[in-house]
Amino acid sequence: MSGSSEPIRVDTEKLRAAERTLRELTNHVQSSAERFRSGSDAYGDVIGGDKNGKKFHGQFDSPHQDAVSAGFDAAKLAERTTDEVEQLVQALENVERQSTETGQRLTGRNSDG
């Protein structure tokens, strides 16, 4: 590693823009999962309580619940990813700030001597 006193620079504005896009995606996935669950719950009584209805429900319910869970799981994953990007941006901004401060101190010491 060279002894350069140049500050480290990261384009955190682009990362913040990506974070905002991920946040929007997270909200969209969450609301889509909620609409899917709500919409499919509204059709639950249409199956009927006779033998064929119960048979259909027995074959349909588990995959349906899996699909609903997958939607909410995807929303949770997107939210965690977005939070991690936000933490990354904050960490990079801290590194940049510390690098700038260190560079200024080193430059000041070098010009004094």
Side-chain angles (χ1 to χ4, degrees), residues 37-48 60:
R37 179 178 58 195
S38 174
S40 59
D41 284 351
Y43 291 109
D45 293 337
V46 176
I47 295 172
F60 164 79

Side-chain angles (χ1 to χ4, degrees), residues 16-68:
R16 288 243 182 245
E19 176 195 342
R20 286 188 295 274
T21 300
L22 281 171
R23 189 88 47 207
E24 290 173 14
L25 174 64
T26 297
N27 293 337
H28 180 70
V29 171
Q30 178 72 27
S31 66
S32 295
E34 290 169 359
R35 282 193 317 269
F36 176 66
R37 179 178 58 195
S38 174
S40 59
D41 284 351
Y43 291 109
D45 293 337
V46 176
I47 295 172
D50 64 357
K51 179 182 171 184
N52 289 330
K54 288 178 182 179
K55 182 178 177 183
F56 177 77
H57 184 265
Q59 294 174 342
F60 164 79
D61 190 52
S62 182
H64 171 257
Q65 294 304 323
D66 290 347
V68 170

